[in-house]
Amino acid sequence: MSDSASAPASLDFIREMIAADVSAQRNDGWVITRFPPEPNGCLHIGHAKSICLNFGLALENAPNARCHLRFDDTNPTKEEVEYVDSIKQDVKWLGFDWGDHLYYASDYFEKLYGFAVNLIKKGLAYVDDQTPEQMRANRGTLTAPGTASPYRERSVEENLDLFARMRAGEFKEGERVLRARIDMASPNMNMRDPAIYRILRAHHHRTGDSWCIYPMYDYAHPLSDALESITHSLCTLEFEHHRPLYEWLIANVDGLPGQPYQREFARLSLTYTVMSKRKLLRLVKDGLVSGWDDPRMPTISGIRRRGYTPAAIRNFCKTIGLTKYPSLTDLGLLEHTVREDLNQHAQRVYAVLRPVKVVLTNYPEDQIEQIELVNNPENEADGKRLVPLSRELYIDADDFMEVPSQGFHRLVPGGEVRLKYAFCIICQEVIKDAAGNITELRCTYDEATRHGAKPVGRPKVKGTIHWVSAAQAMDVEVRLYDKLFSVEQPDEAAGDDGDFTQFMNPHSLEIVTAKIEPSIDSAKPGAHYQFERVGYFFTDPVDSQPGRLVFNRTVQLKDGFVKAK
Ligand code: ATP
Ligand code: MG
């Protein structure tokens, strides 16, 4: 890994805890972590935080360390194989490797069933015949204890028999559940005899139709951790109230190979973003975006297609660090990190997004000169290229104002501006069509202003703009992406019952046909560029074809909207 992600990070509370465990030789000094996605959607940038933490810890603690990729596939109704493949691809793209340690919770179904039988035999689990409504009503509230189920005192024999018949498919969905027998008066609702097995007649993407009972997440997760000898089970804060149940299961199930423990850290929340698979799925299903990999999506596949880099994501996760308290991270920080990385690697080109023709009336008609430009000022090894310049050019409409606003230092009628790396030009005439649209700017250039020389006898030139030579320019489709939501916290703005999609930014995508310098002819899909003075762009890996490139705007060059807030 080229960035600093493989170097030890400064010690946050998780790393401090792990360092203490290692030095105390807990688990013989081994650190075994896991990333446990549920394959019910594509991963998002929040998951990247968890991936960088778990896989990062394995790298930092090598050689006595590793990180497992485990699919928590205990809920067959929502899970799909395509998500499994996409999750694997995303973890790899981020630069991490699970080696031989790819697991599925569904591989443990038989063992998990055995553990449940073990709990029943110890009098620590029972089959409950109450309806879901009765169970909910008897659960109590935060201030009142729950009421014991009339089936709580069933004999071990009866429970064993009923549980076996649940597995055999003798009962209907919802007719019975297996519950852990813990404490109906616990102040922690998760400890009030939580359901650990339910009947579900659903086809599973790996186990097919062999099961009609499925373990609950809170049951399967700690026991899967223990089966894999995970040492540190790191999850987000919302699981803090589930920790006692995690510990209860690890303490009470017999014959577990490992004794993991769970600790929680704050999840990543970003401004202008929704970060729940359920909501992202809604955007996909309702056609509000083009798919999971729409470049406006906060999914790993979306940001990859937009042109974010794995190194930038890893650096971002390192920058935000780990805390025990929820917080909101500015999307601007993520964009800043992306910009910093691309600045090192992206080749520079000249592109004009909203072209206006400029004719240099005193420039020889048939002349084409080649200007030598540096490909990347940050890296000399990237070399130089030749960019043609001739009598007819394009400049960006934003770089000309017929009636200039205050402080506008670029081209205006009668005014002078520098064409970057070329010479200064003066706008002599503005040509318009019948409708009043500007069709051409007729300008003169000053040969004496090449190589940065100042105009003689005229005011100092304050603006420098980019350009492309008209005859050689190529037309390319450019997709100008912006943030997907127009409010900082779409979830909050919508409230519990509201619809977050009403806060989508109607201007999150604008498509333009840009004029770009001819060197781009050799570009391949999936390459990063800096359009000078404009931003970073990525040749779309899906829609680009040889000779017909599509560019996605990765990020603007300047931190536009953060300042505009
Ligand atoms: P979502 O709420 O988006 O559906 P999830 O937590 O249900 O996410 P899982 O597939 O269960 O998704 O998550 C896998 C791992 O990623 C879990 O350990 C979870 O804690 C972690 N994770 C999920 N979202 C975030 C986030 N925003 N920040 C950090 N870690 C996250
Ligand atoms: Mg989940």
Side-chain angles (χ1 to χ4, degrees):
M1 227 168 259
S2 58
D3 58 277
S4 49
S6 54
S10 61
L11 291 195
D12 48 63
F13 74 102
I14 298 271
R15 288 183 166 87
E16 264 175 17
M17 179 185 83
I18 289 180
D21 284 345
V22 169
S23 69
Q25 285 292 298
R26 185 176 173 268
N27 299 302
D28 299 326
W30 271 80
V31 176
I32 306 175
T33 55
R34 84 290 169 267
F35 174 64
E38 185 183 349
N40 61 348
C42 293
L43 297 183
H44 51 61
I45 174 112
H47 293 113
K49 177 175 179 177
S50 176
I51 293 169
C52 288
L53 171 64
N54 284 294
F55 282 95
L57 284 169
L59 291 173
E60 291 159 29
N61 291 283
N64 289 345
R66 61 174 192 257
C67 178
H68 299 181
L69 174 62
R70 183 201 315 139
F71 289 99
D72 244 319
D73 54 351
T74 50
N75 187 357
T77 54
K78 287 191 187 156
E79 294 158 3
E80 287 174 39
V81 183
E82 64 170 292
Y83 296 135
V84 169
D85 297 335
S86 127
I87 289 169
K88 285 192 209 163
Q89 188 191 1
D90 289 351
V91 174
K92 282 200 180 136
W93 179 76
L94 280 170
F96 298 107
D97 184 6
W98 52 86
D100 297 333
H101 298 281
L102 174 66
Y103 302 103
Y104 295 83
S106 55
D107 289 344
Y108 308 138
F109 279 173
E110 195 61 55
K111 284 191 173 132
L112 295 173
Y113 179 83
F115 292 149
V117 169
N118 174 244
L119 287 175
I120 294 175
K121 286 183 178 160
K122 292 170 81 174
L124 294 177
Y126 62 97
V127 173
D128 195 345
D129 303 359
Q130 292 183 103
T131 64
E133 295 72 37
Q134 285 168 331
M135 253 181 275
R136 216 170 297 131
N138 288 338
R139 225 176 141 217
T141 64
L142 286 175
T143 47
T147 310
S149 161
Y151 307 98
R152 199 172 196 262
E153 304 305 330
R154 267 185 165 144
S155 70
V156 168
E157 289 65 37
E158 190 181 3
N159 279 317
L160 286 174
D161 173 62
L162 285 171
F163 189 46
R165 288 167 58 200
M166 275 172 67
R167 177 180 184 167
E170 287 189 27
F171 309 118
K172 289 200 287 288
E173 272 184 28
E175 214 177 316
R176 286 186 166 84
V177 293
L178 184 72
R179 298 176 75 173
R181 193 168 181 278
I182 309 179
D183 178 6
M184 286 307 290
S186 170
N188 183 333
M189 302 284 277
N190 295 311
M191 298 297 273
R192 293 186 188 172
D193 293 9
I196 57 178
Y197 265 92
R198 64 200 159 140
I199 300 169
L200 209 56
R201 291 184 192 277
H203 184 83
H204 188 281
H205 70 108
R206 286 177 64 83
T207 57
D209 296 315
S210 39
W211 291 88
C212 63
I213 55 170
Y214 288 92
M216 303 299 285
Y217 175 86
D218 273 351
Y219 172 80
H221 188 76
L223 298 175
S224 303
D225 280 349
L227 282 170
E228 291 173 19
S229 294
I230 299 299
T231 57
H232 300 87
S233 183
L234 308 172
C235 60
T236 36
L237 284 179
E238 66 272 22
F239 291 103
E240 200 169 1
H241 298 297
H242 302 242
R243 196 206 286 183
L245 177 54
Y246 188 106
E247 292 177 347
W248 185 90
L249 285 162
I250 298 298
N252 286 292
V253 170
D254 297 326
L256 296 177
Q259 292 283 306
Y261 70 79
Q262 170 184 309
R263 287 294 178 274
E264 308 82 17
F265 62 94
R267 65 197 289 115
L268 170 66
S269 302
L270 274 180
T271 55
Y272 300 102
T273 308
V274 295
M275 200 103 80
S276 117
K277 277 182 282 186
R278 190 174 50 80
K279 288 182 179 160
L280 297 175
L281 179 65
R282 157 102 196 273
L283 296 177
V284 174
K285 286 248 159 91
D286 287 3
L288 299 170
V289 293
S290 67
W292 284 101
D293 69 345
D294 186 305
R296 293 166 293 183
M297 289 281 269
T299 51
I300 309 277
S301 46
I303 61 182
R304 172 167 64 229
R305 188 168 171 192
R306 182 149 169 172
Y308 285 23
T309 59
I313 305 302
R314 292 193 299 263
N315 284 334
F316 171 71
C317 290
K318 185 167 232 179
T319 306
I320 55 175
L322 293 177
T323 63
K324 290 184 197 179
Y325 305 98
S327 65
L328 186 62
T329 301
D330 195 326
L331 180 58
L333 179 65
L334 174 59
E335 298 198 330
H336 170 77
T337 319
V338 170
R339 223 177 267 128
E340 294 237 301
D341 186 50
L342 291 176
N343 182 42
Q344 302 296 315
H345 309 294
Q347 146 134 18
R348 275 55 171 171
V349 290
Y350 273 22
V352 169
L353 299 186
R354 295 180 180 83
V356 172
K357 182 163 275 181
V358 166
V359 178
L360 304 177
T361 53
N362 60 340
Y363 191 95
E365 288 222 12
D366 302 324
Q367 182 172 311
I368 302 172
E369 59 181 292
Q370 300 288 340
I371 301 210
E372 193 180 56
L373 297 184
V374 168
N375 283 333
N376 180 358
E378 302 292 322
N379 185 3
E380 222 174 289
D382 285 353
K384 296 182 175 175
R385 69 190 189 285
L386 294 174
V387 177
L389 174 65
S390 64
R391 181 183 158 93
E392 297 201 354
L393 311 168
Y394 291 108
I395 65 166
D396 203 292
D398 289 349
D399 286 332
F400 174 78
M401 277 186 105
E402 196 171 12
V403 184
S405 58
Q406 228 204 332
F408 184 81
H409 294 307
R410 288 160 282 161
L411 197 59
V412 300
E416 187 163 4
V417 78
R418 178 172 293 281
L419 297 185
K420 205 170 177 188
Y421 300 123
F423 37 62
C424 295
I425 61 169
I426 299 173
C427 178
Q428 308 289 359
E429 199 183 342
V430 179
I431 314 279
K432 295 183 182 173
D433 62 16
N437 301 311
I438 297 172
T439 54
E440 192 176 301
L441 302 172
R442 299 183 77 85
C443 302
T444 51
Y445 87 102
D446 181 0
E447 185 65 39
T449 54
R450 283 184 187 265
H451 310 295
K454 291 185 183 124
V456 177
R458 301 190 299 277
K460 200 174 155 215
V461 172
K462 286 192 182 156
T464 300
I465 64 174
H466 65 286
W467 46 272
V468 293
S469 180
Q472 297 80 21
M474 295 180 57
D475 283 342
V476 292
E477 178 179 329
V478 178
R479 299 173 181 171
L480 299 171
Y481 292 108
D482 205 341
K483 51 195 192 300
L484 191 52
F485 291 91
S486 40
V487 298
E488 270 202 7
Q489 298 186 65
D491 290 323
E492 200 120 299
D496 285 345
D497 307 321
D499 183 357
F500 67 97
T501 63
Q502 65 182 300
F503 299 107
M504 289 182 80
N505 175 9
H507 310 294
S508 61
L509 171 59
E510 183 192 353
I511 299 178
V512 298
T513 301
K515 298 280 185 187
I516 194 162
E517 62 168 78
S519 76
I520 210 71
D521 201 22
S522 58
K524 297 191 173 55
H528 301 279
Y529 290 91
Q530 186 198 90
F531 292 3
E532 290 221 29
R533 298 188 57 238
V534 180
Y536 291 99
F537 291 79
F538 187 59
T539 43
D540 189 279
V542 180
D543 293 338
S544 290
Q545 287 156 15
R548 198 194 148 269
L549 289 172
V550 174
F551 284 84
N552 296 332
R553 180 165 71 194
T554 307
V555 62
Q556 297 186 23
L557 208 53
K558 295 207 184 72
D559 208 343
F561 77 82
V562 172
K563 275 193 208 121
K565 266 195 323 201

